[in-house]
Amino acid sequence: MLKTNLEPVAVVRMKLRRAAKESGMTQEEIGLRMGFAKDSARKAVSRLLNTEADYDPRLSTLVAFASAIGKDLKKLL
């Protein structure tokens, strides 16, 4: 479990970053598996994983991410 003073969403994003790295896939590959077009796939995943982003990701985006990397969303959060 992460112990940090970061906002809860930033903590989730850190966990997602770790899971993305452990998947061995590039951000573009993950984005393509999530259903994004080739020209926006990497940017979409990069934005999702950015711990300084100022928006909360949608549940559907988190579900798609988990599915793309072959993990259970509950285990990622």
Side-chain angles (χ1 to χ4, degrees):
M1 179 124 182
L2 295 172
K3 292 186 178 182
T4 179
N5 291 328
L6 296 174
E7 293 294 319
V9 174
V11 173
V12 169
R13 289 178 195 274
M14 288 175 58
K15 291 178 181 180
L16 297 178
R17 286 179 70 97
R18 185 180 318 127
K21 185 175 181 177
E22 290 173 356
S23 77
M25 289 184 274
T26 66
Q27 290 181 357
E28 181 177 17
E29 290 170 325
I30 294 169
L32 290 171
R33 287 179 177 223
M34 289 175 69
F36 291 102
K38 185 166 177 61
D39 62 339
S40 62
R42 189 208 56 79
K43 185 175 181 179
V45 174
S46 176
R47 185 172 181 234
L48 173 65
L49 302 179
N50 182 354
T51 57
E52 296 178 13
D54 60 354
Y55 80 98
D56 294 343
R58 293 180 177 176
L59 179 58
S60 59
T61 302
L62 296 174
V63 169
F65 176 84
S67 177
I69 64 169
K71 297 282 184 177
D72 183 349
L73 181 59
K74 291 179 187 178
K75 293 181 180 181
L76 292 178
L77 305 177

mmCIF file of all heavy atoms in Angstrom, residues 2 4-5 9-10 15 17 19 21 32 37 49 61 77:
data_model
loop_
_atom_site.group_PDB
_atom_site.id
_atom_site.type_symbol
_atom_site.label_atom_id
_atom_site.label_comp_id
_atom_site.label_asym_id
_atom_site.label_seq_id
_atom_site.Cartn_x
_atom_site.Cartn_y
_atom_site.Cartn_z
ATOM 1 N N LEU A 2 0.518 2.204 -0.818
ATOM 2 C CA LEU A 2 1.279 3.439 -0.905
ATOM 3 C C LEU A 2 0.943 4.354 0.252
ATOM 4 O O LEU A 2 -0.216 4.571 0.569
ATOM 5 C CB LEU A 2 0.968 4.162 -2.209
ATOM 6 C CG LEU A 2 1.375 3.483 -3.495
ATOM 7 C CD1 LEU A 2 0.821 4.254 -4.679
ATOM 8 C CD2 LEU A 2 2.872 3.399 -3.584
ATOM 9 N N THR A 4 1.335 8.148 1.191
ATOM 10 C CA THR A 4 1.704 9.401 0.562
ATOM 11 C C THR A 4 0.718 10.491 0.946
ATOM 12 O O THR A 4 -0.371 10.211 1.421
ATOM 13 C CB THR A 4 1.756 9.232 -0.969
ATOM 14 O OG1 THR A 4 2.093 10.474 -1.548
ATOM 15 C CG2 THR A 4 0.448 8.746 -1.529
ATOM 16 N N ASN A 5 1.120 11.728 0.718
ATOM 17 C CA ASN A 5 0.245 12.863 0.979
ATOM 18 C C ASN A 5 -0.447 13.336 -0.294
ATOM 19 O O ASN A 5 -1.056 14.388 -0.309
ATOM 20 C CB ASN A 5 1.047 14.020 1.586
ATOM 21 C CG ASN A 5 1.515 13.692 2.982
ATOM 22 O OD1 ASN A 5 0.848 12.977 3.712
ATOM 23 N ND2 ASN A 5 2.656 14.208 3.366
ATOM 24 N N VAL A 9 -6.775 10.587 -6.210
ATOM 25 C CA VAL A 9 -6.720 10.289 -7.647
ATOM 26 C C VAL A 9 -5.272 10.150 -8.097
ATOM 27 O O VAL A 9 -4.948 9.286 -8.913
ATOM 28 C CB VAL A 9 -7.457 11.371 -8.468
ATOM 29 C CG1 VAL A 9 -7.273 11.139 -9.957
ATOM 30 C CG2 VAL A 9 -8.938 11.361 -8.117
ATOM 31 N N ALA A 10 -4.376 10.958 -7.539
ATOM 32 C CA ALA A 10 -2.956 10.857 -7.900
ATOM 33 C C ALA A 10 -2.389 9.508 -7.458
ATOM 34 O O ALA A 10 -1.568 8.917 -8.160
ATOM 35 C CB ALA A 10 -2.165 12.009 -7.282
ATOM 36 N N LYS A 15 -0.621 3.952 -9.172
ATOM 37 C CA LYS A 15 -0.846 2.506 -9.265
ATOM 38 C C LYS A 15 -1.048 2.085 -10.720
ATOM 39 O O LYS A 15 -0.549 1.044 -11.145
ATOM 40 C CB LYS A 15 -2.051 2.103 -8.420
ATOM 41 C CG LYS A 15 -1.808 2.237 -6.928
ATOM 42 C CD LYS A 15 -3.059 1.876 -6.153
ATOM 43 C CE LYS A 15 -2.853 2.012 -4.660
ATOM 44 N NZ LYS A 15 -4.075 1.650 -3.908
ATOM 45 N N ARG A 17 0.168 3.645 -13.337
ATOM 46 C CA ARG A 17 1.479 3.763 -13.987
ATOM 47 C C ARG A 17 2.304 2.502 -13.745
ATOM 48 O O ARG A 17 2.940 1.975 -14.649
ATOM 49 C CB ARG A 17 2.234 4.983 -13.468
ATOM 50 C CG ARG A 17 1.713 6.301 -13.964
ATOM 51 C CD ARG A 17 2.506 7.452 -13.372
ATOM 52 N NE ARG A 17 3.834 7.475 -13.931
ATOM 53 C CZ ARG A 17 4.208 8.237 -14.947
ATOM 54 N NH1 ARG A 17 3.352 9.064 -15.495
ATOM 55 N NH2 ARG A 17 5.436 8.194 -15.398
ATOM 56 N N ALA A 19 1.206 -0.487 -12.979
ATOM 57 C CA ALA A 19 0.587 -1.613 -13.694
ATOM 58 C C ALA A 19 0.887 -1.546 -15.187
ATOM 59 O O ALA A 19 1.145 -2.570 -15.816
ATOM 60 C CB ALA A 19 -0.924 -1.619 -13.458
ATOM 61 N N LYS A 21 3.539 -0.220 -16.584
ATOM 62 C CA LYS A 21 4.946 -0.604 -16.750
ATOM 63 C C LYS A 21 5.107 -2.120 -16.634
ATOM 64 O O LYS A 21 5.802 -2.744 -17.428
ATOM 65 C CB LYS A 21 5.804 0.109 -15.711
ATOM 66 C CG LYS A 21 7.275 -0.132 -15.880
ATOM 67 C CD LYS A 21 8.096 0.678 -14.902
ATOM 68 C CE LYS A 21 9.569 0.428 -15.133
ATOM 69 N NZ LYS A 21 10.416 1.236 -14.252
ATOM 70 N N LEU A 32 -4.422 1.561 -27.815
ATOM 71 C CA LEU A 32 -5.083 0.857 -28.917
ATOM 72 C C LEU A 32 -6.005 -0.230 -28.378
ATOM 73 O O LEU A 32 -7.127 -0.405 -28.861
ATOM 74 C CB LEU A 32 -4.051 0.265 -29.876
ATOM 75 C CG LEU A 32 -3.273 1.278 -30.715
ATOM 76 C CD1 LEU A 32 -2.130 0.591 -31.451
ATOM 77 C CD2 LEU A 32 -4.202 1.997 -31.679
ATOM 78 N N ALA A 37 -8.008 5.562 -31.262
ATOM 79 C CA ALA A 37 -7.423 5.556 -32.599
ATOM 80 C C ALA A 37 -5.905 5.648 -32.483
ATOM 81 O O ALA A 37 -5.372 6.191 -31.503
ATOM 82 C CB ALA A 37 -7.946 6.739 -33.407
ATOM 83 N N LEU A 49 -2.366 8.528 -17.054
ATOM 84 C CA LEU A 49 -1.326 8.174 -16.089
ATOM 85 C C LEU A 49 -0.629 9.377 -15.466
ATOM 86 O O LEU A 49 0.180 9.213 -14.553
ATOM 87 C CB LEU A 49 -0.285 7.274 -16.767
ATOM 88 C CG LEU A 49 -0.827 5.968 -17.365
ATOM 89 C CD1 LEU A 49 0.306 5.190 -18.011
ATOM 90 C CD2 LEU A 49 -1.553 5.138 -16.338
ATOM 91 N N THR A 61 -13.205 4.563 -18.384
ATOM 92 C CA THR A 61 -11.805 4.639 -18.814
ATOM 93 C C THR A 61 -10.943 3.711 -17.970
ATOM 94 O O THR A 61 -10.077 3.006 -18.495
ATOM 95 C CB THR A 61 -11.284 6.086 -18.704
ATOM 96 O OG1 THR A 61 -12.114 6.933 -19.506
ATOM 97 C CG2 THR A 61 -9.841 6.196 -19.158
ATOM 98 N N LEU A 77 -6.859 -0.773 -8.017
ATOM 99 C CA LEU A 77 -7.215 0.320 -7.137
ATOM 100 C C LEU A 77 -6.881 -0.017 -5.713
ATOM 101 O O LEU A 77 -6.459 0.638 -4.923
ATOM 102 C CB LEU A 77 -8.711 0.653 -7.248
ATOM 103 C CG LEU A 77 -9.197 0.950 -8.664
ATOM 104 C CD1 LEU A 77 -10.690 1.180 -8.662
ATOM 105 C CD2 LEU A 77 -8.486 2.154 -9.243
#
